[in-house]
Amino acid sequence: MNVTPSTAPTSPTTTIQSRFLRACHRLPVDATPVWLMRQAGRYMEEYRALRAQHPILEIIKQPELAAEVTMQPIRAFNLDAAIIFADILPPTRRHGT
């Protein structure tokens, strides 16, 4: 839905409190969200501890683990949003081969 401040519906979109989601809906925000990439393994001890117990494919495939590593920087730095990604596509075995 293409929403601009002048055409924004009165509900429920205008009641969105998240800066990130408001910006996604083209609603007024107090600051523009910024995209940045981070490599958590280099400096976040809690990420390295989780990775010591679980390979990246397991983290990606288990919603609880994926949510945990995604939320770690939000809790540490009070960010508006985060995603988990791997910049290198790891090879996986295909089913039936």
Side-chain angles (χ1 to χ4, degrees):
M1 171 153 99
N2 188 5
V3 178
T4 61
S6 61
T7 62
T10 56
S11 68
T13 306
T14 56
T15 61
I16 295 173
Q17 298 300 311
S18 162
R19 175 188 297 146
F20 176 75
L21 292 178
R22 287 185 64 82
C24 289
H25 286 279
R26 300 175 129 186
L27 295 170
V29 292
D30 61 336
T32 303
V34 177
W35 172 273
L36 69 106
M37 294 174 60
R38 71 182 250 289
Q39 292 184 339
R42 292 187 179 184
Y43 63 89
M44 291 194 76
E45 184 178 326
E46 58 268 41
Y47 178 80
R48 290 193 310 262
L50 194 66
R51 283 286 284 121
Q53 297 176 2
H54 305 280
I56 191 65
L57 289 178
E58 183 179 341
I59 290 173
I60 295 168
K61 291 178 181 180
Q62 290 191 29
E64 305 81 25
L65 295 175
E68 173 57 29
V69 298
T70 303
M71 292 301 296
Q72 287 174 351
I74 290 178
R75 289 191 297 261
F77 303 109
N78 194 27
L79 302 173
D80 295 311
I83 62 169
I84 181 175
F85 72 96
D87 57 349
I88 298 173
L89 181 63
T92 60
R93 200 173 91 201
R94 292 172 45 176
H95 292 286
T97 59

